[in-house]
Amino acid sequence: VDIFLPNISVAAFGDKLNHKSFSATHGGFDAAATWSLPIIKPFFVAGYDVTTLKVSAATTAGVAGLSATARGSRFSVGAELTPFPFIGLRAAYTLRHGMPGFDAGLGVKF
């Protein structure tokens, strides 16, 4: 039965920030799998981020021109529950850049 086949999505995104003291760029990639089961909808998301920061002006000598790049992965596994029409509850265990956490949400659907 096709309700047990996952819906797969991928996304790539990026953004850039320019300030008089620094500039930053960020790029990311996500892949997600969701299952549309009755009442409960489990999901799994994996992503990867690359962020670069460069100092363009600083009051401390030797800091201007320095840059750093951070790279890291994100993973979430959880489910969305629809206990009542128009109401969605979402919970997930998340591992972001090696740090564990928990996401929770309450939504109203129209």
Side-chain angles (χ1 to χ4, degrees):
V1 178
D2 63 341
I3 65 170
F4 296 105
L5 294 175
N7 299 305
I8 304 294
S9 64
V10 294
F13 49 89
D15 44 59
K16 185 173 184 174
L17 171 73
N18 286 314
H19 186 271
K20 64 180 181 179
S21 299
F22 66 93
S23 63
T25 58
H26 170 259
F29 173 80
D30 283 338
T34 59
W35 289 263
S36 295
L37 304 177
I39 300 174
I40 192 165
K41 294 176 176 46
F43 61 87
F44 175 76
V45 180
Y48 189 77
D49 296 302
V50 178
T51 303
T52 301
L53 177 70
K54 183 174 183 179
V55 180
S56 50
T59 57
T60 305
V63 175
L66 293 179
S67 66
T69 300
R71 294 174 175 84
S73 56
R74 294 174 279 106
F75 301 97
S76 292
V77 61
E80 183 171 331
L81 177 68
T82 306
F84 306 105
F86 307 112
I87 301 294
L89 301 172
R90 185 177 176 104
Y93 172 77
T94 301
L95 188 62
R96 287 188 185 101
H97 308 280
M99 296 182 294
F102 185 78
D103 297 328
L106 170 65
V108 178
K109 300 178 184 183
F110 294 98

